[in-house]
Structure formats: C-alpha cells, structure tokens
Amino acid sequence: KLSNGSSSSSSSNNKSSNTNNLSYKAIVAMSLLAVQFGIQPIVTKRFTSKTIIKSTVIFTQEAVKLCIGVVGISLGKTRWGDVTAEWTIASWFRLAFLPATIYLVQNMCSLLAYQNLDAITYNVLNQTKTLSAAFCCYLLMGKKQSTMQMMSLLVLLSAALVMEGVIPLDGSIFLPSYWMGGDESNINGNDTADDATLSPRHFSHGVLPIMAASFLSGLAGAITQKSLQVGNRNALLFTVELCVASLLLLLASFVTSDDGLQIRQRGFFSDWSYSTIIPILTNSAGGILVGLVIKYAGTVRKGFALIFGILLSGLVQTALDEDRSLSGEEVAGGVLAALSLWMHATNPYVQQEQQRKRQKAGEERIRVSEEGATATKVMATSKATSNGTSKVARGRKSRKED
C-alpha cells in the first residue's frame, strides 16, 4: 500500500512538474499558437468577405478541425481502440458538450458587450480572462499560483493593456483628465459619453456580459485542462468530441437564428471564394493548437501565447504595410509579456513538493519508531529468555549439591 501510494504521489508530482516547467512540446505548441493568433486577423480580413454569413465560416471551421483530429488519430502511433477505450456518451457530454455550450454562451455575451461598450472598456475587461482561468483552475483542480505567479499575471494584464493602447506610455494615465473623461480620453468625442458610461444599460448590457464572458472562458479552459491533464484525455480525441458538440449546437441554432434564415435565403456558400478556405484552415489549426497548449502547458499559459500573438500581429502588419511602424506600446508590451512569462515559469507553487517532503519525513519517523519498538521487544524477549535460562541452571546446581 505504501508503495502504491508513493508511486501515485510521484505520478501526481510529475504531472505538476511538467505543467510548471515548460516542456519542449509546450514551448513548440505555444509558439505555433502565438504565430497563428498573430496572423489570423490579417488573413481573415484579407480573404473573408464582409458580407459572408459568419455562422457558415464557423461551421466549416469546426468540420475542418473534426477532419484534422480524425486524420491525426488515424495516422498516430496510438490505435483508435486504445484512444477510445474508456470513451462513453456520458463522458463526452460531461467533458465536451458542456465546454462547447459554455463557449457558445461566452460568444453571445462577448457580442452583446461589444455592441454596448467602447473599444477601450471592452479590451480592458476582456483581458481579465487569463485571471479568471487561474481562478477556475484553482476551483476545479486545486491548482494554486505562487505569489510571483500572481504578480506575473498582473504584469501580463498590463502588457495586454499597453499593447491595446489603454495604458499610454506618455504618463497621461496619472493625469486627472484621463480618469475624469477629459477631451483626450473621450472615446466618442462628445459630451454624452460620460452619460452613456454611467447608464444602467452600459452596466447590464456591457460590463456584466463581458465579465461573464471572461469568467466563462476561464471556466471552459479549466474544464478542458482537467480533462486533458488529470483525466489524461487524448488531445486530438478531445478536439473531435468538442467539434461534434459544436456542430450539433450550430445546427440547432440554424433553426431559429438570423444566420439560419440567411442560409435558407442566400445559400450556405453565399459570398464565398476559393481563398475563403485559407483563414478557415489557419483558424482550424489554431483550435488544434489550443488543445495541445492546454494539455502540455495549461490554460493560464495559453494566455501568454495569445499576448505574444498580439505582438506578432503588429510585427506582421509592420512588415506588410510600409506606412506602418512598430509602436512603442507594442515593444513595451512585448517586453512585459516576456517578463511575465519568465516570472510565471520560474516561480512555481511549491507547496506540493513541501507536502511530499513532509510526508516522506513522516514515513521515515514512523519507520524509525517501528524499528525502535521492534528492537525493544527483541531485547525484552532476549532478557526474559536469559533470566529463564539462569533460573534453570541454578535449579540444576541446587539439585546436584543436594
């Protein structure tokens, strides 16, 4: 039993160590995800028509990811029978359909917030999803963050806000006019901005939905991480399960949604071109990479990859547009993002290791105590035997004298 317990503890510690220390697979997956996230807006804007029915693009992306997952499993070293050995409809519903539903609700909340918030407020609140991911990982998995890791998440949030231009580098953030809605900070350029900001609709249809979307993003990520790491779910199989759930939800939404009506009136491939498949392929690859990043690095580290993706997006746009140069905000944000990743990777939470050492020390004390008790018992038995032998000898001597 002690052997089984120690091996289980060792396995748990190895998983924790693999998550805290970035492995080669984690670094490669995060790098590729950052590249995909960086080029996706540029590719989408260039090759996707503005009048296209967006649900048809999303549906096709899920279908392509499904095909990639199936082909990946078929060509992999692990056989389908081994991959699906413990698969059940109940586990699919719990581990895939639930996150897919959460992602759908998250997208609806994000769209509602985007329609009722200015760009700066939306970007600020949307960047809190990395913090919500850390919080949800703690709730679902008991995965704690060290003090330095929590500080690194705040640095990462600052990096995102600097790159989005929310935190200016000229120091105007410390001026009262920045916070009181002066001319420079008035986003809409009119006097009604403050009234709109303070209106009940701004809070109920803007702030609450984006905060809900941020939390749901972290919750779905934590559920996915628990399935892939703790449940040791195959990453490609999980992608296939998630895609099937998403496709079913999209098909159901076509019955009542405006996009469904547009599809019936205009056709599924209305305003498509041959080049439309390019952003679909890159986005589908990104979906596969997200699963790999969560499995090998965790949902919190996924946030680091996405922030680096924003920096790469600026670099690519600078390379493609001669009139555009890399801004100071993008450089400063990239430096802060690199610093935050270094802080998070080199300062893991160490309580589990301390508990393991305390458990080992306790087991050592118990062993020493048991050995001491055994030695005492042996000594007592030896002494009793010696006393009995001496009594027998004295009795024999007494009879001989008689």
Side-chain angles (χ1 to χ4, degrees), residues 45-64:
K45 186 176 181 179
R46 175 166 295 190
F47 298 111
T48 304
S49 171
K50 293 182 179 180
T51 58
I52 200 171
I53 304 174
K54 295 179 176 57
S55 293
T56 62
V57 176
I58 297 173
F59 186 91
T60 308
Q61 286 174 179
E62 295 300 321
V64 171

Side-chain angles (χ1 to χ4, degrees), residues 43-297:
V43 174
T44 301
K45 186 176 181 179
R46 175 166 295 190
F47 298 111
T48 304
S49 171
K50 293 182 179 180
T51 58
I52 200 171
I53 304 174
K54 295 179 176 57
S55 293
T56 62
V57 176
I58 297 173
F59 186 91
T60 308
Q61 286 174 179
E62 295 300 321
V64 171
K65 279 194 292 184
L66 175 63
C67 294
I68 293 175
V70 170
V71 171
I73 296 175
S74 301
L75 298 179
K77 297 179 180 179
T78 308
R79 296 179 300 176
W80 270 98
D82 297 329
V83 172
T84 59
E86 299 180 358
W87 186 89
T88 62
I89 294 180
S91 67
W92 168 77
F93 187 87
R94 184 179 71 257
L95 301 178
F97 194 84
L98 178 59
T101 306
I102 293 174
Y103 282 128
L104 178 63
V105 176
Q106 174 204 343
N107 291 333
M108 294 172 61
C109 290
S110 297
L111 179 61
L112 179 62
Y114 192 78
Q115 293 171 340
N116 291 277
L117 292 176
D118 59 83
I120 289 182
T121 304
Y122 180 89
N123 288 331
V124 170
L125 297 179
N126 189 45
Q127 294 302 333
T128 60
K129 55 190 175 185
T130 302
L131 303 179
S132 69
F135 178 68
C136 290
C137 283
Y138 170 71
L139 290 181
L140 296 182
M141 303 173 61
K143 197 171 184 61
K144 298 180 180 179
Q145 303 283 321
S146 67
T147 303
M148 286 296 291
Q149 284 182 321
M150 289 188 286
M151 291 179 63
S152 73
L153 295 180
L154 295 177
V155 174
L156 181 67
L157 175 62
S158 301
L161 298 182
V162 168
M163 280 192 279
E164 294 286 353
V166 178
I167 299 179
L169 297 180
D170 57 6
S172 60
I173 190 174
F174 299 106
L175 299 177
S177 59
Y178 181 88
W179 303 99
M180 299 303 293
D183 293 336
E184 294 180 359
S185 62
N186 193 333
I187 305 302
N188 296 322
N190 56 51
D191 295 334
T192 61
D194 291 340
D195 295 335
T197 300
L198 297 176
S199 66
R201 182 178 179 81
H202 172 86
F203 183 76
S204 62
H205 290 66
V207 175
L208 279 182
I210 192 59
M211 294 302 292
S214 175
F215 177 78
L216 290 174
S217 174
L219 178 61
I223 293 174
T224 301
Q225 181 173 341
K226 187 174 182 179
S227 303
L228 294 175
Q229 292 184 351
V230 180
N232 201 26
R233 202 82 162 183
N234 182 282
L236 291 177
L237 175 63
F238 183 79
T239 298
V240 171
E241 293 178 293
L242 202 60
C243 289
V244 171
S246 299
L247 290 171
L248 291 176
L249 290 171
L250 284 170
L251 286 174
S253 70
F254 288 160
V255 178
T256 58
S257 66
D258 292 336
D259 280 3
L261 179 61
Q262 290 292 322
I263 291 173
R264 290 189 291 272
Q265 291 177 349
R266 297 164 49 190
F268 188 90
F269 295 104
S270 175
D271 293 322
W272 276 56
S273 65
Y274 289 112
S275 59
T276 305
I277 197 65
I278 296 176
I280 289 177
L281 290 174
T282 56
N283 212 342
S284 300
I288 300 292
L289 290 171
V290 166
L292 295 175
V293 168
I294 292 177
K295 181 175 181 64
Y296 295 117

